[in-house]
Amino acid sequence: LADIAAGIGGFEGNAQTLRLLTRLEPKVFHSDGRSAGVNLTRASLDAAVKYPWTLAEAAKYDGGRGVKFCVYPDDEDVFRWLKTGAPEARKPMECQVMDLSDDIAYSVHDVEDAIATGAFNPLVLADPRMIGCIIEATRSWYGSKWDADELERAFGRLRRLRMFPDHFDGSRQALAQLKNITSDLIGRFAWSVENATRDTYGDGPLTRYSANVVIPEETSYEIVALKGIAVYFVMAPREREPFHQEELKIVSDLVDVLMADSPLPSDALESQFLADWNESTNDDERLRVAIDQVASLTDNSALALHSILC
């Protein structure tokens, strides 16, 4: 979808979230008939804006990667409103907590899933060459700002603390041990950040732009090390699988079907998107509507719709 939408302001999961909260999810409408989405407060919306900039601004703020952003061009009005009085390109405390929680959850549970499904055997971490391969993949995926030596030390700490099971045979006992390790990791990361943040800002309320989450460097490296395991054993191999290419084709086919009769709406266009389509004045605006519908589909509904239409 990002490739398909490259000429209309891009596609990004976080930007789509803002669009859902402020426009697509039907609950409250303005007096002029425009949807207000679920009608959240500025503070609530601000907490959800993980990358507070547009695609055009991403290269400036996104650590040089220029791929992560939180607002499409036609959603800038609500973005400017929710950021009224806020420092430029800053995330409030609530968003930083959400962001960290997201990182912890993904890093820990992706490794848990990889072990449970057999994609990753923790015993391979005893081989320094394998650690080197994982570190290389991690830095390729997340950026060279992550020092290789520090990543190696992070793996060493996690292994010394027995944060990987010695073996996994899929038994109930092994699953219980794995889930306990998962809980230990989450507790280790959360407590280290809470302690560091309180040591910096004291015991008062930490809200909006009055403070920042303080993440110890060792904790950051341990989280990224776990994410690197998921990259090396799960995500990178998956992108080379033939089925991944089939998935990409399903998505692009569905967009093509929705756009095929433009400016007339496709019979496949869902009723909730019909008004948006009819209000569109050109194919770029209609493409955004088509992408909104495809992005709203579950895996199963996308497969079912593709089998019917294509």
Side-chain angles (χ1 to χ4, degrees):
L1 289 177
D3 288 341
I4 293 167
I8 60 168
F11 178 89
E12 214 283 331
N14 295 280
Q16 196 68 18
T17 294
L18 180 63
R19 193 169 177 84
L20 280 164
L21 293 175
T22 60
R23 182 191 296 239
L24 298 181
E25 185 64 26
K27 184 177 181 183
V28 176
F29 286 82
H30 295 291
S31 58
D32 61 4
R34 290 179 300 114
S35 173
V38 291
N39 200 36
L40 299 179
T41 63
R42 278 191 177 99
S44 295
L45 288 173
D46 207 3
V49 178
K50 186 173 178 179
Y51 305 102
W53 48 76
T54 64
L55 175 59
E57 299 166 331
K60 178 180 177 182
Y61 297 119
D62 185 27
R65 292 181 299 169
V67 294
K68 294 290 188 179
F69 60 99
C70 255
V71 56
Y72 302 129
D74 53 344
D75 293 324
E76 281 196 49
D77 285 351
V78 72
F79 175 73
R80 302 303 173 196
W81 171 80
L82 74 90
K83 283 294 185 181
T84 300
E88 183 178 355
R90 277 270 309 279
K91 292 184 284 190
M93 184 70 176
E94 296 85 351
C95 184
Q96 294 177 49
V97 170
M98 179 275 295
D99 197 2
L100 174 67
S101 302
D102 196 39
D103 266 356
I104 292 174
Y106 272 110
S107 65
V108 172
H109 289 291
D110 278 356
V111 170
E112 178 187 346
D113 289 344
I115 293 172
T117 59
F120 164 55
N121 183 347
L123 294 179
V124 302
L125 297 181
D127 183 351
R129 293 171 300 178
M130 179 57 71
I131 295 288
C133 291
I134 297 171
I135 289 172
E136 183 180 350
T138 303
R139 298 180 78 232
S140 173
W141 200 281
Y142 293 109
S144 57
K145 68 176 182 177
W146 297 100
D147 182 76
D149 291 338
E150 290 297 335
L151 283 168
E152 186 174 356
R153 282 190 275 273
F155 279 115
R157 286 193 301 274
L158 292 172
R159 292 190 66 223
R160 285 194 301 275
L161 291 167
R162 303 182 71 82
M163 291 297 178
F164 300 106
D166 293 328
H167 70 280
F168 183 82
D169 59 11
S171 66
R172 187 169 291 154
Q173 289 84 356
L175 284 167
Q177 182 196 19
L178 181 58
K179 290 185 181 300
N180 285 331
I181 288 173
T182 294
S183 296
D184 290 342
L185 282 166
I186 293 170
R188 174 178 174 80
F189 296 153
W191 276 113
S192 74
V193 173
E194 181 168 349
N195 290 335
T197 303
R198 285 299 181 189
D199 286 346
T200 302
Y201 292 101
D203 295 328
L206 311 177
T207 58
R208 301 303 301 276
Y209 295 95
S210 64
N212 290 301
V213 170
V214 179
I215 307 175
E217 184 177 63
E218 287 192 355
T219 299
S220 292
Y221 271 93
E222 289 172 13
I223 290 172
V224 173
L226 293 181
K227 291 166 76 172
I229 290 173
V231 165
Y232 186 81
F233 290 99
V234 181
M235 292 189 284
R238 183 178 62 197
E239 290 196 344
R240 295 191 291 269
E241 292 177 356
F243 187 62
H244 183 67
Q245 300 305 313
E246 294 175 27
E247 291 171 330
L248 296 178
K249 188 173 188 310
I250 288 169
V251 171
S252 60
D253 283 351
L254 289 173
V255 174
D256 288 345
V257 166
L258 291 170
M259 292 296 295
D261 297 323
S262 181
L264 297 176
S266 166
D267 291 340
L269 189 70
E270 294 179 8
S271 300
Q272 69 189 64
F273 297 105
L274 185 57
D276 296 337
W277 182 280
N278 290 335
E279 291 170 7
S280 299
T281 60
N282 55 58
D283 272 354
D284 283 354
E285 293 176 2
R286 286 185 279 270
L287 178 58
R288 179 61 70 188
V289 178
I291 288 172
D292 282 341
Q293 175 165 325
V294 173
S296 75
L297 300 173
T298 64
D299 290 356
N300 286 337
S301 61
L303 287 167
L305 191 60
H306 189 267
S307 68
I308 294 169
L309 301 174
C310 306

